[in-house]
Structure formats: C-alpha cells, structure tokens
Amino acid sequence: MRKIQMVDTKTQYLAIKDQVDTAIHDVLDSAAYINGKAVKDFSQHLGSYLGADHVIPCANGTDALQIAMMALNLQPGDEVITPSFTYIATTEVVALLKLTPVFVDVDPVTYCMDIESLKKAITPKTKAIVPVHLYGQAAPMEQIMAIAKQHNIYVIEDNAQAIGCDYTFSDGTKKKTGTIGHIGATSFYPSKNLGAFGDGGALFTNDKALADKMAMIANHGQSERYYHDVVGCNSRLDSIQAAILKIKLAHLNEYSKARQAVAKYYSHAFSSIEQIVIPATADYTTHVFHQYTMQLKGVDRDKFIAHLAAKDIPCMIYYPVPGHLQKMFGGQNNQHLDLPVTNTLTPCVCSLPIHTEMDAEQLAYIVEGVKSFFN
Ligand SMILES: *Cc1c(COP(=O)(O)O)cnc(C)c1O
C-alpha cells in the first residue's frame, strides 16, 4: 500500500506531469518570470471559473487578506469581526494593521461563523466582517451580507479552504464562495484545494474601484511606474506558479469530487460509531472538503491519535488553540470571552487524511484503523 499522507501533492503532480512540465518550460523559455503572460492567463481563467469580474493575484493567502483590509481604508482601532475557530492568518493580519479583532463563535454543525454571535458583536466601531469558509463549506453568507448591509460594514470572505464551493441563495441563485462579499481572498499554498508548487494567493471582487486599489497596493502603491500614491506592499504571484495553477484549475471540479467521495466513504463507515460526530453540510452550500474533520465524543483524543499513529495513519488537529486563546492576542486573559462552541470543539476535533489521490486500499485501511480503536 502507498504510504498514507494528509496530502499527497507528489502523486497528484505525477498524474498531470506532462502538462505541468511543459507549462513550466514555457515560462522558462519566455523569461517572463514575474507578471508574465501566464499570470494574466491564469487570472482570467480563474475569474471566469468563479464568476468574478476582477482577480488580483498576490504572493499568498495571508497577503491577500492584508491587502483586502488595506484597500478598505480601515483605521487603527476599527473593529473587524472574525471567528476564533480558524487558522491564525485570518486574525493575525487584523492585528498587524493595528485594527481590533473581535472574536465570534461558530455554528456547532458547520463550524463556520455563528449568526447570533455575529449580531451580538457588532458595535459602532465595526468596519468589517471576515467569515471563513472553514474546512471547505460556506459560512451563511446570505445572512452575513444582510447584516453587513444593514450596518454598512464590509465583508471579506476568507476562501482559502473552499475554492470551488457553491453557495445557493434562498431565491435559488448560485454563486461561488469568494464572490459574494465585497472582497474574496484565497491561498494557493500547496496543500490547499487549488494548490501551487510554492506560495500564491489571490483576491476577487466585482467592484472595479476596489480591484484597482488592491492591484495598486499589491504593487508598492504604484499607479504608474515609480509613482507611488498610497503605502502598499510587494506581493506577486510567480509566473511559474500561475502556469501550474492554470493547469490545475482545469481539474478543480474533478478534485472536489474526489475529496467528496473520500468524505462520503468515511461518513458512511463512521455513522454507526456513537463517539464520532461526522461532518455535516448545511443545505445552502456544497462542501469541497479541504479537511474531513470529525468530533470525538467521550474519547481520549491523544490515545486515539497514538492508536492511528501506531498503524502509520496520520491525523491532525485543526486547530489546537483557537485564535482568542493564542498568546499573541492575550492568551488566557481572553478565557472570559463567550465562545462556548469554539471551546467545546477545540479539544475534540480531529481531521483524517483527505486528498485527491487516495485509493480504495488506503481508505479501507484507515476506516479499519479508526474502527479498531472503538472495538
Ligand atoms: C491557508 C489559509 C490562509 C493563509 O494562506 P497562506 O497562503 O498560507 O498565507 C488563510 N486563511 C485560512 C483559513 C487558511 O486555511
């Protein structure tokens, strides 16, 4: 049996090796390593795939979030609402820009931003909401957009884990996640659902003025070469990465289906185990399963992990410490914050290997390994 890994980028590469190698060599031949044709091509393809008018490529997903917040002219002290139950990048950039992160709770079923918690967190200082489409399914965007509109607040979607996910509005309209808020931000980190062979990120918007501003910020605040209008940063997607991403984008729907098939297999196998809560998908969204994250109830999680490790089955905790309890935000001083779902999920979540290249033998072995813990 092939070694089981959380992600297997090597096997995925081998399946499209000829195309990828040719694309890389084309960039080498063109010598346009930065901002070359490959970058424009990929941005265009991604825009039409997502249904976004403007795509601004950048260096990584963290930069994308930062550039989005810089473009909105937020001022020190302005409040930005984000879930605590997410990867640190979402909240880190808020603090980096001297904005005030306001942590809200997540829904116990979807693990995405909880609407009641969001409503309670809004103050006159709230300037932006950053919902995260965690693990691959959408946050309740229709409700979030309605609340944002009512209070005149911007919405930046952190789409790093859910590229390709479809959101269905109550009138039946469908949109891709990342194109519903004022700005969408994503990451092409190798292990993401659309992963480069290095770092990469992008911003999406349908607002031309915001798109121009973000492109300017990502390029040293430059409007014209050597004329710098605003303080920006230097955040670029390499041409080689863009060329690889264009090839992978053509496979993204098929990759999502492969992930969904793995999730379905696991969920079917675990549905009879009382101590496992299998991930659920809300009816307004598809789920592209960046992670297969289950909850272990009444189980010693360390023992469970050790049991799997002894069988060479990896698993991961996403994430062992929620944002509000990270030292960078004051750690234990934030224990009084009212985030009951986040605090309940953190000690019991556990993510199993899920990627596009898992075979039947590996899946059966993992399921047996998990089941044997409960026998
Ligand atoms: C990966 C990730 C990011 C950051 O992306 P990088 O490309 O690693 O900077 C941001 N938010 C979430 C939810 C992520 O999973």
Side-chain angles (χ1 to χ4, degrees), residues 32-237:
Y33 307 129
I34 296 287
N35 277 336
K37 180 172 171 292
V39 176
K40 285 176 200 89
D41 260 12
F42 168 62
S43 303
Q44 251 171 24
H45 277 82
L46 186 60
S48 37
Y49 173 83
L50 294 171
D53 291 347
H54 309 279
V55 172
I56 297 99
C58 64
N60 57 65
T62 311
D63 274 10
L65 289 161
Q66 182 184 326
I67 293 163
M69 287 178 209
M70 287 170 81
L72 296 177
N73 263 333
L74 307 186
Q75 300 303 314
D78 285 351
E79 293 177 357
V80 177
I81 298 177
T82 79
S84 172
F85 194 70
T86 179
Y87 181 55
I88 197 66
T90 321
T91 36
E92 183 185 33
V93 295
V94 176
L96 188 72
L97 296 173
K98 305 263 183 281
L99 311 171
T100 305
V102 174
F103 296 108
V104 296
D105 214 354
V106 289
D107 178 90
V109 175
T110 63
Y111 312 143
C112 291
M113 188 177 271
D114 176 67
I115 292 297
E116 289 314 309
S117 189
L118 166 63
K119 283 183 186 163
K120 273 195 252 165
I122 289 176
T123 76
K125 284 184 166 175
T126 309
K127 291 290 154 58
I129 304 170
V130 186
V132 181
H133 305 310
L134 198 73
Y135 303 147
Q137 78 172 308
M141 288 306 295
E142 185 162 8
Q143 286 155 290
I144 292 170
M145 292 311 291
I147 293 166
K149 191 167 180 195
Q150 186 189 342
H151 296 275
N152 208 11
I153 300 171
Y154 287 111
V155 175
I156 302 169
E157 298 174 71
D158 183 340
N159 199 36
Q161 300 192 0
I163 198 149
C165 175
D166 289 305
Y167 188 96
T168 307
F169 288 82
S170 46
D171 68 0
T173 321
K174 284 187 200 295
K175 280 189 184 174
K176 291 283 184 201
T177 53
T179 67
I180 304 165
H182 302 91
I183 302 174
T186 205
S187 162
F188 304 123
Y189 186 77
S191 64
K192 301 285 154 106
N193 288 30
L194 179 60
F197 294 160
D199 274 310
L203 291 142
F204 327 124
T205 186
N206 292 326
D207 180 325
K208 169 90 167 71
L210 270 179
D212 291 346
K213 183 103 188 267
M214 292 192 291
M216 191 195 260
I217 289 169
N219 185 22
H220 298 292
Q222 189 162 250
S223 54
E224 198 184 321
R225 203 164 199 193
Y226 306 127
Y227 292 81
H228 306 273
D229 300 353
V230 294
V231 174
C233 55
N234 174 24
S235 191
R236 298 185 282 239
L237 178 68

Side-chain angles (χ1 to χ4, degrees), residues 281-342:
T281 308
D283 52 14
Y284 58 74
T285 175
T286 57
H287 199 320
V288 292
F289 287 98
H290 176 60
Q291 299 299 342
Y292 183 89
T293 304
M294 53 193 193
Q295 294 174 58
L296 300 170
K297 293 290 187 187
V299 169
D300 181 332
R301 187 171 63 178
D302 291 338
K303 267 196 187 159
F304 178 78
I305 294 170
H307 177 85
L308 295 187
K311 298 174 185 300
D312 283 325
I313 301 171
C315 60
M316 292 289 284
I317 309 304
Y318 299 119
Y319 297 93
V321 181
H324 74 289
L325 295 179
Q326 295 287 355
K327 275 194 200 151
M328 68 157 81
F329 293 123
Q332 297 306 314
N333 295 337
N334 284 331
Q335 231 162 9
H336 65 280
L337 293 182
D338 184 27
L339 302 168
V341 179
T342 297

